[in-house]
Amino acid sequence: MSQSEAPIIQFDNVNKWYASNGYHVLRDVNLSFAKGEKVVICGPSGSGKSTLIRCINALEEYQQGKLTVDGTVIGDDLKGIDKVRREVGMVFQQFNLFPHLTVLENLILSPTWVAKLPRNVAIEKAMVQLERVRIAEHANKYPLQLSGGQQQRVAIARALCLTPKIMLFDEPTSALDPEMIKEVLDVMIGLADQGMTMLCVTHEMGFAKAVADRVIFMDQGQVVEQNTPTEFFNHPQTDRSKDFLSKILGH
């Protein structure tokens, strides 16, 4: 990252507790992400990975510290949150598609309602994104007529319809059958090649090796280690990351 260019995402001593049980889910998180950077966030279940990225578009609130996204501090200012949500696309573990709408209707819903695009413009943009994820021929089908992998590609296309600056992926392949994982990862690799800022919570270490500029390892709400994929996989610095890697890589 050049000195002149501010990080597109900056966490300064961010802390979060769950109101229901007081669990301290993010502990003094300090992280910055450069524009165009591809980062994979991994760690054991319950380590705070999903919470971390859900704070970026204010799906989760944090209680202490400061989180800045593309120049906007995420806080109580609803206008600021709206601005950030228009710039940040998110793809979830579950596809969250509306079953009663066709693929195309799912894609144009937000652009026509939120961004107030004319319907014909929204359809044109949606078709471009469906081409991008190689699923345009299914535009008039309903989600349940598609495989899981196809549905997840539709969800990615939907997030891209608002032309986000940042894409967040929260375990996008964990609900998929093994043979469908590759088709979704291939689409994500294609996006990475086009220079978009991407943060991906995943256990797909092949994807991390293929596209990540950096791997961040979290455990118990803290950033334990961060490094290039080569260094992280070949020379993990902490016992916790070694233990995690031995479990997921099987050695």
Side-chain angles (χ1 to χ4, degrees), residues 68-89:
T68 311
V69 180
D70 198 26
T72 300
V73 176
I74 303 282
D76 298 332
D77 174 18
L78 293 177
K79 268 200 179 121
I81 288 173
D82 275 351
K83 173 180 176 283
V84 165
R85 283 188 179 156
R86 281 198 294 274
E87 295 178 355
V88 179

Side-chain angles (χ1 to χ4, degrees), residues 150-166:
Q150 289 170 328
Q151 288 185 63
Q152 191 59 294
R153 280 150 61 195
V154 171
I156 293 171
R158 179 182 56 185
L160 292 170
C161 276
L162 290 171
T163 46
K165 294 182 179 180
I166 299 163

Side-chain angles (χ1 to χ4, degrees), residues 31-33 37-43 49 52 198-218 223-237 241 244-245 248-249:
L31 283 170
S32 62
F33 300 91
E37 194 178 13
K38 301 357 163 224
V39 181
V40 161
I41 301 163
C42 62
K49 317 176 291 288
L52 180 87
M198 288 171 65
L199 274 62
C200 184
V201 172
T202 184
H203 289 148
E204 294 296 332
M205 294 301 131
F207 174 75
K209 289 175 184 171
V211 305
D213 300 308
R214 180 165 44 135
V215 175
I216 291 172
F217 173 70
M218 290 184 72
V223 175
V224 175
E225 188 171 333
Q226 47 182 320
N227 218 325
T228 62
T230 309
E231 283 299 307
F232 178 71
F233 291 115
N234 296 333
H235 308 289
Q237 301 295 305
S241 42
F244 173 74
L245 285 169
I248 61 163
L249 300 173

Side-chain angles (χ1 to χ4, degrees), residues 175-194:
L176 299 176
D177 295 334
E179 67 272 18
M180 292 176 191
I181 290 173
K182 184 181 183 306
E183 65 181 73
V184 172
L185 292 178
D186 283 348
V187 164
M188 291 168 64
I189 288 167
L191 289 182
D193 291 343
Q194 291 164 26

Side-chain angles (χ1 to χ4, degrees), residues 128-146:
V128 168
Q129 300 308 341
L130 288 173
E131 293 278 355
R132 197 171 175 184
V133 302
R134 302 194 291 279
I135 208 160
E137 70 276 16
H138 298 304
N140 295 314
K141 288 187 178 169
Y142 289 90
L144 296 177
Q145 294 175 287
L146 304 179

Side-chain angles (χ1 to χ4, degrees), residues 11 14-16 24-29 48 51-52 55 218 221:
F11 285 82
V14 169
N15 281 272
K16 175 179 172 59
H24 196 175
V25 63
L26 294 178
R27 299 165 182 262
D28 296 324
V29 173
T51 304
L52 180 87
C55 284
M218 290 184 72

